Amino acid sequence: MVPGRNSMEIIIAKFSHWWPPLKKGTPATLRAIFFFLVLFLAAYISSLCLDTSAFLSIKNEPVPTNVEVVLVRPENLTKLEEPRTPLPAKLQTLPERVLEFPAIDCSGADERKNQTRTCPDRGKEPTWEPARGSRGECPSYFRWIHEDLKPWKASGITREMVEGGRGSANFRLVIKKGRVYVEKFRKSIQSRDKFTIWGILQLLRKYPGKIPDLELMFDCEDKPVIRPEKYSAEAAALPPLFRYCGDRRTVDVVFPDWSFWGWAEINIRPWDKLQKEMKEGNKIIKWEEREPYAYWKGNPFVADTRKDLLTCNVSDRHDWGARIYKIYIEGYAWSVSEKYILACDSITFMVKPYYYDFFTRSLEPLVHYWPINDRDKCRSIEYGVQWGNQNPEKAQAIGRAASELIQEKVSMDYVYDYMFHLLNEYGKLLRFEPQVPAASVEVCSEGMACSGGGLERKFMLESLVKSPSLSRPCEIGHPFESQELEKYYKRNLNTIRRVQKWESQYWQDFEKQG
């Protein structure tokens, strides 16, 4: 290019050499027509040059491999417009844009501890449409959501029903236009209520604008309490009370427990971080190098069934107290330790459970755990050790299957997806307009994270959802058919009876030899 001359001047200059000069005396009108014709052709060719140079710059420049991070405010989280014309193939492979929420800064929070904290005004409810499709089909245990909400499928859920759970609930939670309000009734054990509420706040950050307005009661205690026989046959007042576990006699709505976001009182980190650490820890000692003993650690004084376990302690005859086999036994009700034990890549000895949490109904005996007879624990555990030592490959397969299920199907993404589907299905059943109670307080991630201290704050900041999901939630399966459930229960029961038969035969042979 000639210095000092732009592309338009050069094009016109080139055309002036090609086009024959006008003769002297040519009418002014004709000169004007020629002039505008030259300008039109120059502009057209210039546009072609610009388009070509733009394409070449895309073609020749390397495609970036890093993810572009754009910081935006929550109120600006809106759907990205689709391009109006197809992009070149190279551009179609560019990584998605990751939108991040503003960082939470708790500096100076301790000095403001006694001040009233208000949540930031986000204006319009933020919305976000993930760029990708769903994660595919949800794990099978998601189908229990339909079963848990089945008591209200026909009648729907009225305000009267929700209010019926107030006597047992620790708090009422209301979601209204993407904002969360909590009315507390009584203090929970330790920080269970705080981390449960925190988890719901993170769900709203993961899927902004995708959780419906709703109102629910939550009980943070261990034992389920809603027994249908205490209410009318028409379920006119049957309360849909949320909690961490259920059993076959009750209809409490099962929800992921607080420890997925951290258990500050005993220094257990949020599940997303801990899960990765456990996966790496499983690789340190190979299966064949582990001690072939059964092991349990816990508080024996919360239930009689655990006190019985103390009678199985190490003695001259029962020298089986360590590592390849891990024992799971319920306490006052379901125990939060279950997922940690199952994730350890050891075979789990599960003393007959009477309670379930949101994912354990998918566990199968001899596939994910070894069943232990709760009426004869010591001998049942000893036989399990003998069987595992004689069948190491089968024992290892059981341990591996449980560990893989926990690592792959109970990841935090799936925990949030379970919450997403449960609350959306619950919201569809409401037959009233959720209202914000006068006694409630708005809660938000910014206020909760900075109001606590020590491990509470640390774990909340560790488990903070920093950006909306790039994918839509997994797709929940259809409800169980009654025959399907019947076959499932029967298959598990027959497997447990088969193990008990092996065990009984083993001890009969042992006594004959003695």
Side-chain angles (χ1 to χ4, degrees), residues 443-457:
V443 293
C444 54
S445 297
E446 296 85 349
M448 285 199 75
C450 297
S451 63
L455 289 178
E456 274 191 20
R457 182 185 300 174

Side-chain angles (χ1 to χ4, degrees), residues 481-505:
E481 298 289 342
S482 57
Q483 292 181 343
E484 187 179 4
L485 273 181
E486 186 178 346
K487 286 176 65 176
Y488 168 77
Y489 288 129
K490 189 174 182 179
R491 182 175 67 249
N492 284 354
L493 182 59
N494 287 340
T495 301
I496 291 171
R497 286 175 174 170
R498 187 164 72 249
V499 173
Q500 290 175 345
K501 187 176 180 180
W502 297 344
E503 184 180 310
S504 177
Q505 187 62 51

Side-chain angles (χ1 to χ4, degrees), residues 96 151 379 406 502:
E96 298 110 330
R379 299 212 313 174
I406 299 299
W502 297 344

